Amino acid sequence: MKRLGLTLGKFAPLHKGHQFMFDTALQEVDELIVVIYETAVSPVPLQVRADWIRKLYPSSVRVIEAWDGPDGYSDDREHEIREEQYILGLLQGEQVTHFYSSEFYGKHMSIALGAIDRRVDEARQQVPVSATMVRSDPYKYRDYVSGIVYRDLITKVVFVGAMSTGKSTITEALARQYRTAYASEYGRDYWTEHQVDRRIGIEAFDEIAAGHIEREQQALQEADRYLFVDTNAITTYMYALDYHGRAPELLTRLALENAQRYDLFFLCDDDIPYDDTWDRSGDQKRHVFHKQIIADLKARRIPYITLRGTLAERMRKVDEVLAKFQPYGNYFGEQQN
């Protein structure tokens, strides 16, 4: 007889206690079904939470998204009956042999399913964490969640714009103010090291895009609530067009994906004095490139907020936006300048 395990929950967020239960189940059954409920306790949408599990267990776990499942947990018998009937309906006659949980509802659900009641780490001794704890302070408990999950608990803020528009300055200043991490512009470091007569080959732009993402991933693990990012693959794509009239394949794909990679886009205006360093091409070039970046953002349908004025004025604008921003709930953008 096939050993079929089942567990259910909100996984809001998924943490390593959940994963310990999954891993335990996968040692005991042939297949594990995870039913994941919609919930209002977290802004992270159900399909995002389901994708965490699919990415971490791509072949061994079957995920069922319970969009119309019963709300919350209760030991009220009416609620228990609703949940039992709902789960049995989802299974459509499929026989579960083991029901996995670390909660009180393991008893009534296993009886209804005719399955073994497998409580895993009910006292939270193996993995001393709960979703409530993680929601209260993701940074404090970041070691208890996968990097795939933690990324979606951080608001990722990117600053784009032409050369000498203050991207690096505001990125570092905001990271200090919010006591969090930032990702500096990888492309400028790469260009400084590898340029020959102020040029780099087209193949280098793929390396820059990949290197910048790796830098972001490293910074994410140290980010508290926010990650501030200096430049992204879209700006690198625009530099490739400017240098070579085209962009390589990987960079083009990463630039397309960048619309979903960040929660907020800020465009640094070219209204500040130009810093004419040896590695730049002049103020007129800056103004032209600024227009090109705006056109590209609009062509990609990416909402953005323009930052103008002094550093203090720009930071106040960012503060105002962050104070109102709700992850997965709203966005800020300008359609016209």
Side-chain angles (χ1 to χ4, degrees):
M1 179 180 178
K2 177 182 179 181
R3 295 170 300 173
L4 179 62
L6 184 142
T7 188
L8 53 82
K10 301 183 293 289
F11 308 106
L14 181 77
H15 55 68
K16 291 184 178 179
H18 296 131
Q19 291 187 243
F20 179 71
M21 181 171 61
F22 296 170
D23 294 339
T24 299
L26 291 169
Q27 292 175 3
E28 301 174 355
V29 297
D30 301 305
E31 184 183 9
L32 177 65
I33 297 173
V34 177
V35 176
I36 180 166
Y37 288 148
E38 174 69 314
T39 180
V41 302
S42 169
V44 182
L46 189 158
Q47 64 265 42
V48 175
R49 289 179 280 120
D51 282 345
W52 291 338
I53 302 172
R54 293 187 178 111
K55 289 174 182 176
L56 289 166
Y57 299 90
S59 59
S60 53
V61 171
R62 189 198 323 169
V63 179
I64 299 178
E65 298 178 9
W67 289 95
D68 55 349
D71 185 33
Y73 300 133
S74 172
D75 58 2
D76 178 80
R77 186 56 190 152
E78 285 189 20
H79 177 86
E80 291 179 349
I81 291 171
R82 285 197 301 272
E83 185 163 43
E84 292 165 7
Q85 292 176 340
Y86 180 78
I87 295 297
L88 288 168
L90 286 180
L91 292 171
Q92 297 181 338
E94 197 168 11
Q95 181 59 54
V96 169
T97 60
H98 298 66
F99 181 75
Y100 290 87
S101 73
S102 58
E103 303 283 355
F104 66 89
Y105 57 77
K107 180 178 179 180
H108 82 85
M109 284 302 306
S110 59
I111 292 172
L113 292 166
I116 296 170
D117 181 4
R118 279 291 286 117
R119 308 287 178 92
V120 179
D121 196 21
E122 193 169 8
R124 305 290 199 276
Q125 292 181 340
Q126 295 293 322
V127 188
V129 73
S130 69
T132 302
M133 292 163 64
V134 178
R135 288 196 301 273
S136 70
D137 192 340
Y139 181 74
K140 180 178 179 180
Y141 296 104
R142 67 191 185 281
D143 290 341
Y144 288 100
V145 297
S146 163
I148 289 173
V149 176
Y150 192 67
R151 169 185 164 76
D152 289 330
L153 305 182
I154 298 298
T155 297
K156 293 163 288 296
V157 182
V158 65
F159 297 88
V160 298
M163 62 291 290
S164 190
T165 52
K167 301 185 298 296
S168 301
T169 301
I170 194 169
T171 299
E172 296 178 26
L174 285 165
R176 287 193 298 271
Q177 175 177 303
Y178 284 88
R179 297 182 179 180
T180 188
Y182 72 94
S184 60
E185 181 184 0
Y186 182 81
R188 184 166 186 176
D189 296 340
Y190 183 99
W191 187 91
T192 300
E193 182 178 350
H194 294 90
Q195 60 84 25
V196 178
D197 295 330
R198 296 175 48 166
R199 305 289 292 181
I200 54 175
I202 191 168
E203 69 286 345
F205 285 91
D206 275 348
E207 295 181 37
I208 290 171
H212 187 83
I213 287 178
E214 182 178 350
R215 181 171 288 185
E216 283 184 18
Q217 291 298 112
Q218 292 172 351
L220 263 170
Q221 296 309 304
E222 298 303 320
D224 186 357
R225 294 182 61 207
Y226 305 109
L227 174 68
F228 298 107
V229 180
D230 177 4
T231 311
N232 66 350
I234 292 175
T235 305
T236 304
Y237 174 87
M238 297 300 294
Y239 274 114
L241 294 184
D242 184 63
Y243 269 59
H244 298 285
R246 62 188 180 93
E249 182 178 351
L250 175 62
L251 173 58
T252 300
R253 176 172 60 81
L254 292 176
L256 285 171
E257 294 171 355
N258 264 212
Q260 287 75 46
R261 185 172 180 82
Y262 307 97
D263 299 286
L264 290 166
F265 279 74
F266 286 96
L267 172 71
C268 293
D269 203 359
D270 60 351
D271 62 334
I272 61 176
Y274 181 72
D275 185 12
D276 194 10
T277 57
W278 72 272
D279 56 337
R280 291 172 174 158
S281 303
D283 196 21
Q284 180 59 29
K285 177 68 173 181
R286 177 179 70 154
H287 290 310
V288 171
F289 200 63
H290 181 69
K291 292 178 180 178
Q292 292 171 333
I293 287 177
I294 292 173
D296 187 73
L297 288 169
K298 290 181 176 180
R300 295 176 189 276
R301 305 293 196 272
I302 295 176
Y304 63 89
I305 306 99
T306 300
L307 300 177
R308 300 184 176 92
T310 65
L311 175 61
E313 290 170 333
R314 293 177 177 208
M315 290 180 69
R316 279 197 297 271
K317 179 67 173 179
V318 175
D319 291 340
E320 291 171 6
V321 172
L322 293 181
K324 297 176 182 177
F325 182 72
Q326 300 171 13
Y328 298 99
N330 59 25
Y331 65 88
F332 297 80
E334 297 172 2
Q335 300 306 313
Q336 309 246 339
N337 279 323

